[in-house]
């Protein structure tokens, strides 16, 4: 899987939007961009994924740059419950193993939410 | 729908022993993956099972093994435990091997003394 780069930590205030950046300059044309988060003392949780177009779901929005070399996870109104480590991951479903060779987690971004 | 369950949640073993961890995927999910999480190495992929066959394996020694049963439940085994095997072991399930989101269990915290 191609490599991603994320800031080690970010801080935001409760009820404000949060923009979590991810750089993936070596992304291939068939790599999907995935975001997972891990709350304290829990297993990772799927947040959102996309290929080229911006994506929205009940948890967040994913904005993908036109050249796909970067993306931003947007939490529209952060709550204390959003404090977690956020992981940006690239996966290619067409790769050997059908993309089922496991998620490659980096260090992620530790998001701190201030009340 | 019940989530991914893992048993036991906590386990303490001594060096040289072996351990078996269990994972029950979400009903209908056929793919089960295992991960190891440590403070130093972060989350690392161990292996993935689908239809009772190991399809992919991460970079771990042969002491780490697993299996999947016909009902998709999976077990992983670690033999000859080392202190460095102390970690949170996470199981994740997904619908099938074509890319789908993975749903993680709460993990089993293994401590090796």
């Amino acid at each position: 899987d191609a490599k991603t780069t994320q800031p080690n930590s970010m801080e935001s205030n409760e009820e404000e939007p949060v923009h979590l950046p991810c750089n993936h300059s070596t992304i291939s044309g068939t790599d999907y961009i995935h975001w997972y988060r891990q709350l304290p003392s829990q297993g990772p949780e799927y947040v959102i994924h996309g290929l080229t177009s911006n994506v929205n779901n009940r948890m967040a929005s994913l904005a993908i740059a036109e050249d796909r070399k970067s993306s931003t996870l947007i939490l529209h109104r952060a709550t204390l419950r959003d404090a977690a480590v956020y992981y940006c991951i690239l996966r290619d479903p067409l790769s050997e193993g059908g993309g089922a060779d496991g998620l490659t987690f980096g260090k992620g971004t530790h998001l701190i939410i201030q009340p | 729908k019940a989530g991914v369950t893992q048993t036991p949640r906590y386990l303490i073993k001594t060096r040289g022993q072996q351990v078996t961890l269990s994972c029950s995927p979400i009903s209908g999910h056929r793919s089960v993956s295992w991960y190891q999480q440590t403070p130093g190495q972060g989350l690392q992929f161990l292996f993935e099972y689908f239809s009772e066959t190991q399809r992919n394996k991460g970079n771990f020694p042969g002491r780490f093994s697993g299996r999947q049963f016909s009902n998709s439940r999976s077990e992983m085994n670690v033999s000859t435990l080392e202190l460095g095997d102390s970690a949170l072991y996470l199981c994740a399930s997904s619908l099938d091997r074509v890319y789908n989101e993975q749903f993680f269990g709460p993990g089993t915290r293994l401590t090796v003394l």
Side-chain angles (χ1 to χ4, degrees), chain B:
Chain B
K1 186 184 273 191
V4 176
T5 58
Q6 293 187 244
T7 56
R9 292 293 311 278
Y10 302 91
L11 204 50
I12 299 175
K13 292 285 188 179
T14 57
R15 277 181 298 174
Q17 287 186 310
Q18 74 164 14
V19 67
T20 299
L21 311 180
S22 180
C23 171
S24 292
I26 291 172
S27 178
H29 285 196
R30 299 168 64 193
S31 174
V32 174
S33 298
W34 287 88
Y35 295 82
Q36 181 197 64
Q37 185 171 29
T38 60
Q41 298 298 319
L43 271 156
Q44 294 184 287
F45 171 70
L46 279 158
F47 29 63
E48 183 244 350
Y49 285 87
F50 182 81
S51 293
E52 303 177 61
T53 302
Q54 185 181 94
R55 303 293 179 152
N56 277 295
K57 185 173 166 62
N59 189 25
F60 279 83
R63 300 185 298 106
F64 292 82
S65 63
R67 60 177 175 167
Q68 185 180 35
F69 302 96
S70 58
N71 62 358
S72 294
R73 190 176 70 85
S74 177
E75 289 180 346
M76 68 162 281
N77 184 276
V78 188
S79 63
T80 319
L81 284 166
E82 301 176 0
L83 295 179
D85 297 332
S86 294
L88 180 67
Y89 290 88
L90 291 155
C91 166
S93 75
S94 59
L95 275 172
D96 56 36
R97 299 198 72 235
V98 175
Y99 176 73
N100 277 288
E101 64 185 270
Q102 294 194 359
F103 294 83
F104 285 79
T108 294
R109 173 73 63 184
L110 172 65
T111 301
V112 182
L113 302 176

Side-chain angles (χ1 to χ4, degrees), chain A residues 1-2 4 87-91 101-106, chain B residues 35 43 45:
Chain A
D1 291 327
T4 62
Y87 298 97
C88 171
I89 299 164
L90 302 183
R91 288 199 75 190
D101 52 349
L103 297 170
T104 301
F105 288 84
Chain B
Y35 295 82
L43 271 156
F45 171 70

